[in-house]
Amino acid sequence: MPTPTPHISAAAGDFAEAVLLPGDPLRAKHIAENHLDDATEVTAVRNMLGFTGSYKGMPVSVMGTGMGVPSASIYATELIVEYGVRRLVRVGSCGGFAPGVEIRDLILAVGACTDSMVNRSRYDGKDFAAVADFRLLRAAGRAAETLGLEIKAGLVHTSDLFYGAGPSPSDAMQRMGVLAVEMEAAGLYGLAAECGARALTILTVSDQLITGDRSSADERQTTFDDMVHLALDALVLDAE
Ligand code: HPA
């Protein structure tokens, strides 16, 4: 699978070794235009936009992943295997449900439970512990302190179904202390482990699944920008 790949039209060397991964390609464009210096578009296959620029002098790329483990896994695999990406930070949204988890909260996904089968496929049918890279996690914790951003760190659940068949969140998720549900982290963590890359997922709570609270478009934009700032500062700290 040489470059360009089936899903990414960038040339070899077009991506930095560190990449931010929002689900929405227009969020990738927003990050490139508002958070990076000298960003240029490097891929647009299927409108899944990718950009490379710099932040505080560090080369960094940003690319959309689409929604769900299969879509995110396609892009992340090609970025790691063919473009040499080594550090991947997903910046996404989630539905929070644990007590004390409110809309606009920032969550560091220390680990990701899942109903997806991808990590069992990778791990001989057994249960792989899909966890964040410790150094990236620690860097994000430190960056949050410096920025004065409050964070919650813990488990999330990566679901294959947005419109679930059962109660969402399940009793087990609540009993076991899971904070929120999203749709990509467990796949990203398993893939990073398999490919020798390092990954972290940072999330903002867009919906409170128990109370039904939803953040407004304005609130989502502000918390999204805080999260991007945190992710970029974490990547800089991690590189020091
Ligand atoms: N489920 C899955 N992913 C999400 C949700 C949700 O309720 N909210 C935001 N991302």
Side-chain angles (χ1 to χ4, degrees):
M1 181 172 56
T3 56
T5 62
H7 307 96
I8 301 178
S9 58
D14 277 355
F15 277 95
E17 56 77 33
V19 177
L20 293 192
L21 299 173
D24 178 351
L26 292 181
R27 292 272 188 192
K29 189 167 195 271
H30 171 87
I31 293 170
E33 287 173 351
N34 295 282
H35 294 270
L36 302 186
D37 297 321
D38 305 321
T40 55
E41 187 180 295
V42 293
T43 183
V45 178
R46 293 176 183 239
N47 288 321
M48 197 56 82
L49 306 173
F51 303 82
T52 296
S54 66
Y55 178 76
K56 296 185 178 171
M58 176 188 72
V60 57
S61 298
V62 53
M63 184 171 179
T65 63
M67 291 175 282
V69 169
S71 179
S73 299
I74 287 170
Y75 296 109
T77 300
E78 293 180 9
L79 287 170
I80 295 169
V81 174
E82 298 304 330
Y83 290 93
V85 169
R86 283 288 155 265
R87 299 186 293 161
L88 304 95
V89 180
R90 159 163 157 70
V91 282
S93 64
C94 64
F97 54 80
V101 171
E102 311 291 348
I103 55 168
R104 297 183 298 274
D105 281 356
L106 276 168
I107 293 184
L108 300 183
V110 175
C113 315
T114 189
D115 48 66
S116 158
M117 285 297 292
V118 291
N119 290 336
R120 286 195 178 179
S121 299
R122 291 193 168 98
Y123 195 61
D124 298 336
K126 300 185 173 69
D127 291 332
F128 179 75
V131 295
D133 175 74
F134 176 69
R135 282 161 52 203
L136 283 173
L137 193 60
R138 184 176 55 181
R142 288 183 178 160
E145 261 176 41
T146 307
L147 290 170
L149 292 172
E150 202 181 304
I151 45 160
K152 297 193 164 100
L155 297 177
V156 301
H157 181 91
T158 298
S159 178
D160 273 349
L161 291 175
F162 184 86
Y163 298 107
S168 176
S170 72
D171 289 350
M173 289 180 206
Q174 299 191 61
R175 229 178 30 245
M176 305 288 276
V178 176
L179 303 177
V181 59
E182 57 84 72
M183 300 187 72
E184 294 85 11
L188 181 64
Y189 289 172
L191 177 67
E194 183 171 40
C195 297
R198 301 197 287 126
L200 173 66
T201 293
I202 309 178
L203 302 162
T204 60
V205 178
S206 56
D207 314 81
Q208 224 295 349
L209 302 180
I210 307 293
T211 62
D213 283 351
R214 300 208 66 203
S215 46
S216 68
D218 275 359
E219 287 172 331
R220 275 203 291 277
Q221 193 62 55
T222 308
T223 48
F224 182 78
D225 285 319
D226 284 347
M227 171 171 61
V228 169
H229 200 171
L230 173 62
L232 289 167
D233 278 357
L235 282 168
V236 169
L237 270 181
D238 173 77
E240 282 174 356

